[in-house]
Amino acid sequence: DEAEASRQLAALTGAGLIDHVRGSRYRLHDLVRDFSHARLLDEEEPGERTAAQERLIGNYAELADSVLRLVDGNNSTRSDRFSPHGFTSLDEALRWLDDESSFITAALRHAEGVDQAAVLNLLGALCDYCLLRGDLYRLGEISELTQAVDQGLLVRSVQWRTGIAARQLGELDKARTTLTSVVDLYMQAHHDAGAARALNSLGITLHHQGNLTEAAARLREALDLQAVPELATDRAWTMHALAAVERDRGNLAQALDLLTRSLVLHREGDSVHGEAWAHFQLGQLALRMGEVERAEADLEQALDRYGRTRDARGEAWALTQLARARLVAGDGSGAVDGLRRAAARHRDNEDARGEAWTLYHLGQALEETGDLGQAVRELERARTMFSRMRDVYGLACARHHSARVTRDQRAAQTGSLRNSGFARQLLVDARADFQRIGVAHGEAWTCLELAVVDAGNARTQQALALCDEAVALFASYGDRRGEDWARFLRCTLLPYAAPGGVEVGTAVAQEELSALARAGHPLRDVKLEQYVDAYQLLLERGITLEAGWQAWRLGMIPDRHAREVMGVEIASVRG
């Protein structure tokens, strides 16, 4: 019985023949193992040895796969031919795999002659466990092991996960190269499910690099390959990845539709982990729409599911976005505290991209509290990290906000916008980045920030042209909130830049302001409503050119929060 077994094990440990590992697990002393291995080779037939090893590998594969299926559901890497093996809860199952993972890795080192399907199942489960736990060192060990064996399907399977690990470490170029080669290998083998999974991972990597157009193309390729019913859970993962890309491109209705459908598929496939990421993306989408309560509800759901699957990386990301929700709600101090805690979690997880985005939001939160100096420092740290990992989208966003805060800090010191040269160059670079990757939202707001700098330096005609470009960009994806701001700033500039002089410019500005006031809508920034009325009064009193452009001095320019929310009309399709 167990008591007698424990007594005997304690005696063997005392004699130095075995070592206590943890809990009820023991390991043979190295000398005893060498002796036993020599006896095994002498006394057992090779066929019997292989059969025993195969039974062990097969049993481990079934158990490990069963655990991961409780996390990820019935996707194509978690086939439904394994039973739950009596695990009474997800927590118990994960605890077993935590305790057993080092023994599983050791067993794989002696898998010569074992059925390759059993080895592949075990490797797949162990690799997914390493990604879930962030144990990238062990994943590297497994990669070396499979390359030594040099079995095509094994190598492809592990290389795919190695590409994902590189992305998690912020090594985006390496991840892209690895995943591109894995896609080609699966395509050559006519393995559609594997090719689709690799395309999904490649699409996410391209998204992280800011290459949104190509990311969307690769993810849609994956969806085409995953159209068959048996790949429904795989398709759910691709759908929520594509939704994140479409959100950043400004296509909010598409993003909401994709996420709503992906959440249904994740639930049908019993994927707790997939549900976590779908809720996480829904939370970010709600923040982009300015719906803080809805965002917090989805992010709390995500945090709960990350906790149940023990995904430390996911938990850190959810904490970042929950702190960001506090910022959108106007609670700058609460956001600063939450973001600092989240940044520490990302560092513990060695998640460079998570840390970079958290520092980016921290910079904005510090700006909200009035600490512009520290805000610039955090934004510059984020900018450096994005540059190092070659994330063009993140780099453009960090440049944009670093420029805004630097400009405002300098203006507060000097009383004017005359010394905004460095900030202007950052904005020019940010605009070029946004333009290159096709993010109209980012480019449009950068045009407006450039217009503010130019107007404050008496380059009113250039500023007016930038406002017109911003109007067209906002209209291109239906952002009525941004378009309102661009039209308003245009009106503040017309008296100073109109070809017919100040009187003609004032008359045109009054006419356009009246049209703007009449065209009110629910998505309009509340602050802008007040500014439209106030500036109409200013125009009635008369504009003097000598006084210069007044909107900056009067505080009638878009602030950080104005850019935070997209004014895109979207019909909710969620219950």
Side-chain angles (χ1 to χ4, degrees):
D1 61 16
E2 195 163 332
E4 175 61 14
S6 297
R7 191 184 68 75
Q8 298 278 17
L9 287 167
L12 288 168
T13 304
L17 295 172
I18 62 175
D19 298 322
H20 183 223
V21 179
R22 59 179 169 273
S24 60
R25 292 309 304 254
Y26 295 81
R27 182 184 280 121
L28 289 174
H29 189 282
D30 288 345
L31 288 172
V32 177
R33 183 185 293 106
D34 290 345
F35 174 78
S36 301
H37 190 246
R39 296 283 62 71
L40 181 72
L41 293 175
D42 285 346
E43 298 167 13
E44 297 285 348
E45 290 294 321
E48 291 182 11
R49 292 200 305 271
T50 301
Q53 192 69 23
E54 199 160 289
R55 286 194 298 276
L56 176 63
I57 295 286
N59 186 252
Y60 267 143
E62 290 188 23
L63 284 163
D65 198 274
S66 176
V67 174
L68 269 298
R69 195 153 40 83
L70 289 171
V71 174
D72 281 338
N74 298 321
N75 60 27
S76 61
T77 58
R78 303 272 85 77
S79 67
D80 59 2
R81 63 183 178 276
F82 296 134
S83 66
H85 285 283
F87 290 120
T88 57
S89 68
L90 175 58
D91 190 59
E92 181 196 9
L94 284 168
R95 189 161 53 246
W96 173 83
L97 193 49
D98 283 342
D99 291 342
E100 207 70 17
S101 60
S102 59
F103 297 99
I104 293 174
T105 307
L108 278 166
R109 295 193 178 281
H110 305 285
E112 301 87 353
V114 173
D115 174 52
Q116 290 300 288
V119 175
L120 180 61
N121 286 329
L122 182 52
L123 274 169
L126 191 56
C127 287
D128 287 342
Y129 166 83
C130 291
L131 287 174
L132 181 67
R133 282 287 179 272
D135 188 353
L136 305 185
Y137 175 78
R138 182 173 296 166
L139 185 62
E141 282 188 323
I142 297 167
S143 180
E144 289 174 11
L145 186 64
T146 54
Q147 285 166 10
V149 175
D150 195 28
Q151 292 286 332
L153 196 58
L154 295 182
V155 172
R156 285 196 295 273
S157 178
V158 177
Q159 266 190 332
W160 165 50
R161 276 114 169 166
T162 304
I164 296 171
R167 185 181 72 229
Q168 290 183 1
L169 289 169
E171 298 170 0
L172 299 183
D173 281 344
K174 181 180 176 182
R176 179 177 181 172
T177 302
T178 301
L179 292 167
T180 300
S181 68
V182 173
V183 169
D184 292 341
L185 289 169
Y186 275 120
M187 290 288 195
Q188 289 163 15
H190 303 289
H191 192 304
D192 285 354
R197 290 194 306 267
L199 279 166
N200 175 29
S201 299
L202 177 58
I204 294 169
T205 303
L206 290 164
H207 179 199
H208 290 183
Q209 288 189 305
N211 192 341
L212 304 189
T213 304
E214 193 180 344
R218 297 291 80 77
L219 290 165
R220 291 190 188 280
E221 266 186 72
L223 283 179
D224 289 343
L225 292 170
Q226 293 164 340
V228 293
E230 54 267 33
L231 295 181
T233 307
D234 285 24
R235 187 162 69 251
W237 283 90
T238 305
M239 287 167 76
H240 76 239
L242 180 58
V245 176
E246 296 300 353
R247 178 199 67 224
D248 286 345
R249 295 171 89 191
N251 301 324
L252 302 193
Q254 279 188 50
L256 181 56
D257 176 55
L258 285 162
L259 288 170
T260 304
R261 290 190 288 130
S262 82
L263 192 54
V264 171
L265 290 176
H266 281 310
R267 284 171 180 159
E268 289 174 352
D270 299 320
S271 177
V272 179
H273 202 212
E275 280 187 55
W277 283 105
H279 277 296
F280 173 76
Q281 297 292 358
L282 280 164
Q284 286 199 86
L285 181 62
L287 286 178
R288 187 59 60 90
M289 295 156 62
E291 299 177 4
V292 176
E293 287 185 15
R294 185 165 168 176
E296 288 179 328
D298 272 311
L299 291 167
E300 289 289 356
Q301 294 247 49
L303 191 60
D304 168 68
R305 285 158 178 77
Y306 288 134
R308 283 160 59 189
T309 58
R310 300 194 196 171
D311 181 353
R313 285 183 68 256
E315 284 183 313
W317 276 98
L319 290 171
T320 291
Q321 293 301 319
L322 280 165
R324 180 185 162 207
R326 292 290 81 226
L327 178 59
V328 176
D331 178 11
S333 297
V336 168
D337 292 341
L339 288 163
R340 282 186 169 143
R341 286 195 297 271
R345 293 283 293 272
H346 287 299
R347 277 192 291 275
D348 289 343
N349 298 333
E350 297 182 81
D351 187 342
R353 185 168 177 272
E355 185 181 355
W357 278 107
T358 305
L359 293 175
Y360 165 78
H361 293 305
L362 177 58
Q364 295 177 56
L366 288 161
E367 178 195 358
E368 185 80 7
T369 64
D371 190 349
L372 299 189
Q374 190 59 38
V376 170
R377 284 189 284 277
E378 297 298 352
L379 287 166
E380 285 299 297
R381 285 176 66 196
R383 182 162 76 98
T384 301
M385 292 183 78
F386 286 132
S387 179
R388 190 181 301 132
M389 69 182 75
R390 297 168 71 88
D391 178 346
V392 183
Y393 178 63
L395 180 60
C397 290
R399 278 173 167 161
H400 175 98
H401 283 287
S402 185
R404 274 194 326 95
V405 181
T406 300
R407 177 199 66 197
D408 293 353
Q409 185 184 31
R410 190 72 176 144
Q413 293 165 350
T414 63
S416 79
L417 291 166
R418 295 284 179 189
N419 296 284
S420 302
F422 176 66
R424 191 180 195 285
Q425 186 56 54
L426 281 176
L427 289 168
V428 168
D429 292 341
R431 184 186 179 185
D433 288 338
F434 283 129
Q435 198 170 51
R436 188 164 81 253
I437 62 179
V439 179
H441 173 257
E443 187 185 353
W445 280 106
T446 306
C447 283
L448 290 191
E449 299 298 350
L450 278 167
V452 168
V453 172
D454 281 351
N457 283 274
R459 292 191 291 267
T460 50
Q461 288 188 334
Q462 293 95 316
L464 190 63
L466 284 162
C467 288
D468 290 339
E469 289 181 62
V471 167
L473 286 162
F474 284 125
S476 72
Y477 66 96
D479 189 340
R480 300 186 69 188
R481 180 188 177 97
E483 193 175 340
D484 285 347
W485 271 109
R487 292 190 183 281
F488 173 73
L489 283 180
R490 172 185 160 78
C491 291
T492 69
L493 288 161
L494 277 169
Y496 307 93
V502 65
E503 290 182 7
V504 173
T506 299
V508 175
Q510 286 175 313
E511 187 179 328
E512 291 192 11
L513 270 181
S514 297
L516 187 60
R518 289 194 301 272
H521 55 85
L523 298 172
R524 176 167 288 175
D525 191 336
V526 177
K527 285 185 177 178
L528 190 70
E529 292 278 9
Q530 304 163 3
Y531 295 165
V532 168
D533 294 338
Y535 210 80
Q536 279 177 322
L537 287 173
L538 193 69
L539 290 174
E540 285 171 17
R541 291 175 185 164
I543 294 290
T544 56
L545 291 178
E546 296 75 23
W549 182 60
Q550 296 297 298
W552 166 267
R553 186 178 61 80
L554 296 170
M556 295 183 183
I557 61 166
D559 58 9
R560 177 195 53 75
H561 184 67
R563 181 194 191 276
E564 208 160 40
V565 179
M566 274 190 191
V568 177
E569 289 186 356
I570 181 168
S572 176
V573 292
R574 282 206 291 167

